Amino acid sequence: MFQGQAERLHHTEPTEIKQEKGASNKWVQEWKTAIKRDKYLYLMAAPGLLFFLIFKYFPLWGLLLAFQNYSPYLGFWDSEWVGFKYFHEFFTNPDFMLLFRNTMAISLLNIAFFFPIPIIVALLLNEVRSLLFKKIVQTVVYLPHFLSWVIIVGICFLIFGQASGVINQLIVQFGGEKIEFLTEPNYFWAMLTAQSIWKEAGWGTIIFLAALAGINSEQYEAAQIDGANRWQQMMNVTLPGIRGTIIVLLILRLGQVMDVGFEQIYLMSSGPVAHLADVFDTYAYRVGIQQGRFGYATVAGLFKSVVGLILVVTANRVTKKFGEEGLY
């Protein structure tokens, strides 16, 4: 009996191998055909793919520093491996909760106030009938995106500075007392949120304007026949038409919840607001670059990435349960 089974296995094995090889060859052939057919599309996509390979995927090797007492003199592979030592030190550090609180507070303020602004601006511009006025407004709101954070923060100092700021000068002229907008802790997070809105809201509007352009005009005509006014058309046609885009961008924004921007906060931080300005980005810079603790700073960056990944996956699953397409 066993001899018969062995003979059957002996005869069936080559057939299975042939099938696997045939499927593999078929896949390779289809891949070659697709490349030959769409070679120009792949050529256009090549710069983007190279960008992600060089700046996103290749640096992932650096995450190994979180498990090393890295020394530039010893090199990447000869440095001492310390396991999860830095993870334990990072999560038991008294500064961890302060960093987590500041990062989450700034990020949640951006989600609550900054994220809806591009949607509102796009809806308002969509209602404008004058093409010239619409282009002027678009140019004005897009312009701050092309300015660096150094310039944005410098303008804020000129406007809100206590000594010679324009706002404080006006307050004094009207008989009031100067307000410390930039050094008062109660204003710091609001100032960061307002700067983000001013700089990036116009740029984010581009995506929603493109989504609005994809809505079928026949839906508006049908709504007008049914007697819907402009507000009803927006609530029943426009917003449902861009709902998918809003959900996808919100999921992507949740993935960046731990990334609140190093440059802006570093430039805005000062002594009186230092306890509110210390986030994971500035902490990693201070510990990793200034103190030379590369492995410990890598743990902070890895923690940010893991939290972002968990939020994206969770939000996408919740979205799927509510019947939306989601991110993937």
Side-chain angles (χ1 to χ4, degrees):
M1 180 179 66
F2 293 105
Q3 184 177 0
Q5 292 179 354
E7 291 178 355
R8 285 194 298 270
L9 291 173
H10 176 72
H11 289 294
T12 57
E13 184 177 1
T15 304
E16 294 176 355
I17 293 176
K18 288 181 180 179
Q19 291 177 351
E20 292 179 358
K21 288 183 177 180
S24 177
N25 292 334
K26 183 180 179 181
W27 182 86
V28 172
Q29 186 64 33
E30 290 178 353
W31 178 249
K32 290 181 178 179
T33 304
I35 293 178
K36 185 177 180 180
R37 182 183 65 245
D38 303 324
K39 56 184 178 181
Y40 295 110
L41 294 178
Y42 287 109
L43 185 63
M44 292 175 61
L49 294 175
L50 288 175
F51 170 81
F52 281 98
L53 287 174
I54 296 173
F55 296 102
K56 299 297 181 181
Y57 290 101
F58 183 74
L60 289 177
W61 287 103
L63 295 178
L64 293 176
L65 267 65
F67 306 93
Q68 288 183 325
N69 183 16
Y70 177 75
S71 173
Y73 301 101
L74 297 177
F76 189 78
W77 297 111
D78 294 330
S79 297
E80 179 187 3
W81 294 86
V82 296
F84 292 93
K85 172 185 175 182
Y86 292 140
F87 288 87
H88 179 267
E89 184 179 350
F90 177 69
F91 290 115
T92 57
N93 193 319
D95 293 334
F96 174 78
M97 291 307 301
L98 176 66
L99 299 172
F100 187 80
R101 183 203 68 177
N102 293 343
T103 304
M104 289 300 297
I106 296 172
S107 185
L108 291 176
L109 285 172
N110 283 331
I111 293 176
F113 296 99
F114 168 62
F115 183 78
I117 294 299
I119 304 174
I120 296 173
V121 174
L123 292 174
L124 293 175
L125 288 176
N126 190 54
E127 298 297 323
V128 175
R129 293 295 173 260
S130 174
L131 186 60
L132 177 61
F133 180 76
K134 186 176 182 179
K135 289 184 176 180
I136 293 174
V137 173
Q138 286 178 332
T139 303
V140 171
V141 297
Y142 294 167
L143 185 60
H145 169 78
F146 299 98
L147 303 178
S148 68
W149 276 115
V150 176
I151 297 176
I152 296 295
V153 172
I155 294 174
C156 287
F157 272 88
L158 291 175
I159 296 175
F160 298 101
Q162 184 181 5
S164 58
V166 176
I167 301 298
N168 276 317
Q169 293 294 331
L170 293 175
I171 292 175
V172 171
Q173 289 183 4
F174 285 98
E177 296 182 358
K178 293 183 178 181
I179 301 175
E180 300 178 358
F181 291 104
L182 303 177
T183 57
E184 173 59 42
N186 294 329
Y187 299 144
F188 182 70
W189 287 344
M191 185 66 67
L192 293 178
T193 306
Q195 287 178 350
S196 299
I197 293 173
W198 178 36
K199 187 177 188 299
E200 301 295 346
W203 185 255
T205 305
I206 297 175
I207 300 176
F208 295 105
L209 285 174
L212 289 171
I215 300 177
N216 193 342
S217 59
E218 294 180 357
Q219 298 183 27
Y220 291 103
E221 295 174 359
Q224 291 176 357
I225 294 173
D226 292 337
N229 55 32
R230 297 302 301 177
W231 175 260
Q232 291 172 333
Q233 291 178 35
M234 184 186 70
M235 297 300 296
N236 296 285
V237 178
T238 306
L239 288 179
I242 63 173
R243 181 174 57 191
T245 304
I246 295 174
I247 292 174
V248 169
L249 292 180
L250 181 59
I251 294 175
L252 293 175
R253 185 64 187 84
L254 290 176
Q256 301 174 349
V257 72
M258 287 291 172
D259 188 7
V260 293
F262 164 77
E263 189 176 0
Q264 176 194 14
I265 297 177
Y266 183 77
L267 293 171
M268 288 292 296
S269 61
S270 59
V273 296
H275 64 288
L276 298 175
D278 203 9
V279 295
F280 288 111
D281 293 321
T282 56
Y283 183 75
Y285 169 76
R286 186 172 67 253
V287 175
I289 303 300
Q290 295 182 342
Q291 299 180 14
R293 302 183 62 189
F294 302 105
Y296 184 80
T298 303
V299 174
L302 181 59
F303 171 74
K304 288 172 44 183
S305 301
V306 171
V307 171
L309 177 62
I310 293 174
L311 288 175
V312 167
V313 173
T314 303
N316 190 74
R317 289 185 177 180
V318 172
T319 301
K320 289 291 187 67
K321 288 183 177 180
F322 281 94
E324 300 294 337
E325 293 185 3
L327 187 61
Y328 57 89

